[in-house]
Amino acid sequence: MPETMRAAVYYRNDDVRIEEVERPRAGAGELLIETRASGICGSDVMEWYRVKSAPRVLGHEVTGVVAEAGEGVEGFCVGDRVCVTHHVPCNRCALCLRGDHTACEMLKRTNFDPGGFAEFIRLPAVNVERGTFRLPDEVSDDAGVFVEPLGCVLRGWRRFRMTPGLSVLVVGSGMSGLLHVQTARLLGAGAVFAADIHPYRLEAAERFGAQALPPCEDMAEALRQANDGRLVDRVVLCAGAPEALETALACVATCGVLQLFAPTPPEHHPEMDLNRIWSEQIALTTTYGAAPLDLEEALALIRAGRVEVEAMITHRLPLKQAQEGFRLVAEAGESLKVVLKP
């Protein structure tokens, strides 16, 4: 096996270079994975978030085949098809023991080497133990890249206090937004609405089960007209634009919940009507990442066909076209899911 491999190295959104880098090897308890598919996540193109650690190889929505198994590895063999996650919790700290695994300090420190936009990745032993899942025959390599993002969505809904019959608005109809639309339907939402500034994504939201709300001056009033005079019980913010946050907050009904699934840029300091939030008993919640339990549930839902994922893939690109993939995701136009095929 050669000593080097190709990787897409991120410098900034418009500067992603294909470079020859050292190929990692599997040590004791570790796996070397030959990457088959790697999705570009919306967080990969949050330049304010990513550029501070550049240059680096990104990519955390990964499927592949075990190419090497280090000494002592149990449960996986060369040739096994797997999906993997980069962040894994310790399962021992106070946060983990109370169920807040994605706030665990260890989860934030763990990663694989170097990243999914490379021909091979090395999984540290802890990732092998807690963040590697065998792909069933019914789940394709491409479908497997949705396990991590769907796991993040499922975790968010666990924090949402959802009950059947409640109305839902998803602000931002990209890939994550469409997963939220499908999950809301799966959980028995009475009505599901979706908002976006791009007609292509609104049309996609309708295909996946939402009633689309085109851009307008007063989104709250448009929502009332579509929802029997009411705002909605649950709002999911899947867009980082400051204007999207304002829209989301304006659309939450009395005693409703707004979940910040996507962050706004750090320089944005939103003004909120705290008196309205207090008097109407509106709750704000956040979510981050996915824990192993969320990933296992996501894989089971994809395997059973209860969440449709492959229909979201609009572009499959070879690794050499990684720059084009980043452009498509950053522009957030006529694309939903972009998958690189190293």
Side-chain angles (χ1 to χ4, degrees):
M1 193 175 287
E3 297 300 316
T4 62
M5 64 178 182
R6 294 180 309 141
V9 182
Y10 177 90
Y11 289 82
R12 59 181 185 271
N13 283 355
D14 62 356
D15 187 3
V16 180
R17 310 175 193 175
I18 305 302
E19 300 180 359
E20 286 285 328
V21 301
E22 183 178 358
R23 182 181 62 81
R25 302 296 299 266
E30 299 180 340
L31 293 175
L32 183 71
I33 305 298
E34 182 179 3
T35 309
R36 290 288 179 85
S38 190
I40 302 179
C41 176
S43 69
D44 290 328
V45 298
M46 287 197 305
E47 198 166 56
W48 60 266
Y49 177 58
R50 295 298 187 185
V51 76
K52 58 190 176 185
S53 62
R56 62 178 295 190
V57 179
L58 299 173
H60 57 268
E61 304 170 353
V62 181
T63 63
V65 175
V66 176
E68 291 179 7
E71 182 182 356
V73 169
E74 297 180 357
F76 297 99
C77 302
V78 171
D80 284 346
R81 297 174 59 244
V82 295
C83 61
V84 300
T85 184
H86 54 325
H87 292 333
V88 292
C90 73
N91 290 337
R92 296 187 300 272
C93 69
L95 290 166
C96 285
L97 292 177
R98 74 184 192 200
D100 292 325
H101 298 83
T102 61
C104 171
E105 283 300 317
M106 177 176 162
L107 179 134
K108 296 175 182 178
R109 293 195 306 268
T110 50
N111 214 325
F112 37 62
D113 173 28
F117 303 143
E119 291 179 308
F120 293 89
I121 58 173
R122 178 185 62 84
L123 303 185
V126 68
N127 293 69
V128 175
E129 177 188 348
R130 300 172 199 167
T132 305
F133 307 90
R134 187 175 283 103
L135 275 183
D137 292 340
E138 304 95 315
V139 179
S140 70
D141 295 332
D142 290 354
V145 305
F146 288 87
V147 170
E148 194 273 345
L150 179 57
C152 295
V153 167
L154 295 175
R155 185 151 194 102
W157 282 90
R158 260 191 257 281
R159 295 174 59 85
F160 226 172
R161 306 198 316 271
M162 180 65 179
T163 56
L166 295 181
S167 54
V168 175
L169 169 65
V170 178
V171 179
S173 300
M175 185 274 298
S176 291
L178 298 181
L179 290 176
H180 276 287
V181 165
Q182 293 194 70
T183 302
R185 285 293 188 198
L186 200 62
L187 295 174
V192 181
F193 302 93
D196 202 282
I197 61 173
H198 202 292
Y200 176 87
R201 295 190 168 205
L202 285 177
E203 188 275 331
E206 289 193 322
R207 287 203 318 270
F208 285 95
Q211 181 176 338
L213 297 175
C216 63
E217 288 288 329
D218 190 342
M219 184 62 72
E221 180 56 30
L223 184 59
R224 286 190 181 96
Q225 292 181 15
N227 194 38
D228 298 325
R230 295 189 67 251
L231 299 177
V232 292
D233 304 300
R234 299 290 184 268
V235 178
V236 190
L237 179 63
C238 291
E243 299 80 9
L245 174 58
E246 295 171 9
T247 295
L249 191 55
C251 292
V252 187
T254 298
C255 293
V257 184
L258 166 60
Q259 181 173 108
L260 307 181
F261 188 82
T264 56
E267 66 271 14
H268 179 231
H269 302 285
E271 294 185 4
M272 294 187 179
D273 185 349
L274 295 179
N275 184 269
R276 176 185 172 236
I277 291 172
W278 168 75
S279 64
E280 297 186 13
Q281 301 179 65
I282 294 170
L284 302 180
T285 185
T286 63
T287 186
Y288 174 85
L293 177 65
D294 308 310
L295 301 170
E296 290 174 2
E297 182 181 357
L299 180 55
L301 289 172
I302 292 171
R303 181 181 189 179
R306 300 187 67 193
V307 177
E308 187 178 2
V309 293
E310 284 202 74
M312 292 187 204
I313 301 175
T314 53
H315 297 80
R316 294 174 172 87
L317 302 175
L319 187 65
K320 65 182 179 181
Q321 292 185 28
Q323 178 65 82
E324 172 66 5
F326 270 75
R327 182 190 69 79
L328 288 165
V329 177
E331 289 182 355
E334 296 196 3
S335 69
L336 295 174
K337 190 62 182 173
V338 178
V339 176
L340 296 183
K341 310 281 285 185

